[in-house]
Amino acid sequence: MTSRQRHRSALRQSLCGALGVIALASTVIAYGQISYFLVEQAGPVMLYVCITATALVYLGTGLVAWARRPGNRCGLIMVLTGLSWFLSAAGNLTSTPVAAIGTAAATSPLVFIVWLLHVFPSGRIRSRLSQVTVIGGFIVALVLQAPLYLFEVDGPYPVSLAVADRPDLVALGGTVQSLAGMLVMLSTAWVLLARIRRAPAQQRVVLATLYAYGIVAVLSVPLGANVLAPLLALSAEGLVAFQLSLLAGLPIVFLWAMLQGVFARTGEVTELGEWIGDTADDPADDTAVAPVLAALRRALGDPSVELGRWSGSAYLDAAGNPIRPPRPDADRASVEIGLGSRRVGVITYDADLNPDPEPVRAAGAIAAVALENARLTAELRANQSALQLSRERLVEAGDRARRRLAQNLHDGLQVELVLLALQAQELAELEQRPADLPEAAERLRERIDGAARELRELVHDVMPAPLMERGLIPAVVDLADRMPLPTSVAVSDRTMTLPPTVESTAYFVIAEALSNAVKHAQATRLDVRVDREGNRLIIVVIDDGVGGAVAGTGAGLSGIANRVDVLGGRLTVESPPGAGTRLRVELPCGS
């Protein structure tokens, strides 16, 4: 384990310990509050118990979210919301200092809920409107709450904090707080509606469900007394219970959204390298954009992330289509990635999910290395392809030279020799001639015939006439007919057409294999099979000789191996001692 891994493990253990302490303390506080309310039976006991139970719901879901995403503030804010519910419930205790704090923080849970709605899912406030709304919410909950307990001697709270008896200021403060609170809730609803409209398609269902529930929950507070109570025929206690049930369900919806993956994972960017290694071991795409993109989306918790690689003139997506980075004023943001001073690509992402570009930039640095490795791999493969094409061109050039030589010998020198033979025959048939002329002329003709015969053999060795004139299969059949051993030829398709390079290579491979068998195998029979399977030509030469041949040894098999390798083919030799030899060659022959 590396030092960084040990450090991360220690941090996880510390966080787990802290969360355990919070959970234990919260359980003790909840038990104490509920026990007190049930024993004292002061006020609406069940409502007080429900407030404490709501605190437990927020604390429990918040601890789970915090443990799952330590780098995201949503879990922490949910925990703070639960603690604020504890304080709100503590305001109903009697004669304790905690009750005084609870009285001052009676409406604080609402502003924490507003804060949570504005920061989800990234954990950060992004827009100026959200920032103003959350600050306004704290002012409404903490500052505008003050007149309600500072200027009312006989207020609803067990512990009085009044400094004067001013019912007029209480009424004015209550009106101002209600109007300001309604403005905060309406602003929050507006922001959530805008986010639903802007949500990427992959997240719209989850975010729409969450934000729609949030809108209903926050609007139930300012609209409760004047709208919900008359509409649903609720008493004062019934209205509070209804509002509490809505607000208590909100963290459960948050947790559901988190488990659906709509939660920024900024704390897990460090694991991106391992994910890329898992997904890009054997990429089908030479550019490796697809596997790197999948790893980025997982690391950043944003399924809308797009990755473009720099082609030298434009950014291209995984399909090779040009893409443009978003405008600066758009809801999406972009981060360019590179190695040193060289541009590699660009990451575009949802700025609501990841308002801080630094985690995206850190992920991009890892992605840039993966893309660069993929680029080098693609270049290596391209170079290999170019080398293969170069080899083929060399073979084609050699074949063209041999064909030209064979043609010139056939149409030039051989014709000339035939003419010489005819002239010599004419000399032999002259009526008036020296006594020894016929004999000399006959010897000339015989020598010319011999030269012509050798020339025909030379031409055949360079490029057999049947191969030039009729193609591979007739040439192989002609070759088999001239073998000193019984030789059969089996062909799947006698009309197959092949590139000239493949034809000549196949012919000489068969010729060399048959020659080897005649010379070394002590065989009594030879079999040749020629088949085409898709874009590959399959050649099989079998003898019933002594076996023991090894690929790559001897001039014959080495020559066959070299010819096959030039075209990127494959040679297989099966030659168990005493059981004959089976030579199999695969040659690429196009579509």
Side-chain angles (χ1 to χ4, degrees), residues 105 221 244 348 444 529:
V221 177
L244 278 175
T348 60
L444 174 61
R529 301 172 190 170

Side-chain angles (χ1 to χ4, degrees), residues 3 6 30 82 95 159 203 222 233 252 336 347 370 466 472 502 544 554:
S3 59
R6 286 194 295 269
S95 303
V159 177
Q203 305 171 2
I252 298 175
E336 287 191 346
I347 299 173
L472 174 63
V502 176
D544 60 354

Side-chain angles (χ1 to χ4, degrees), residues 14 28 116 168 235 242-243 289 298 303 364 366 418 421 457 485 495 526 528 571 579 585:
S14 300
V28 172
L116 181 60
D168 56 330
S235 63
F242 178 74
Q243 292 171 330
V289 172
R298 179 180 176 183
I366 302 173
V418 171
E457 293 176 355
L485 297 176
T495 63
L526 305 174
V528 178
L571 168 66
V585 172

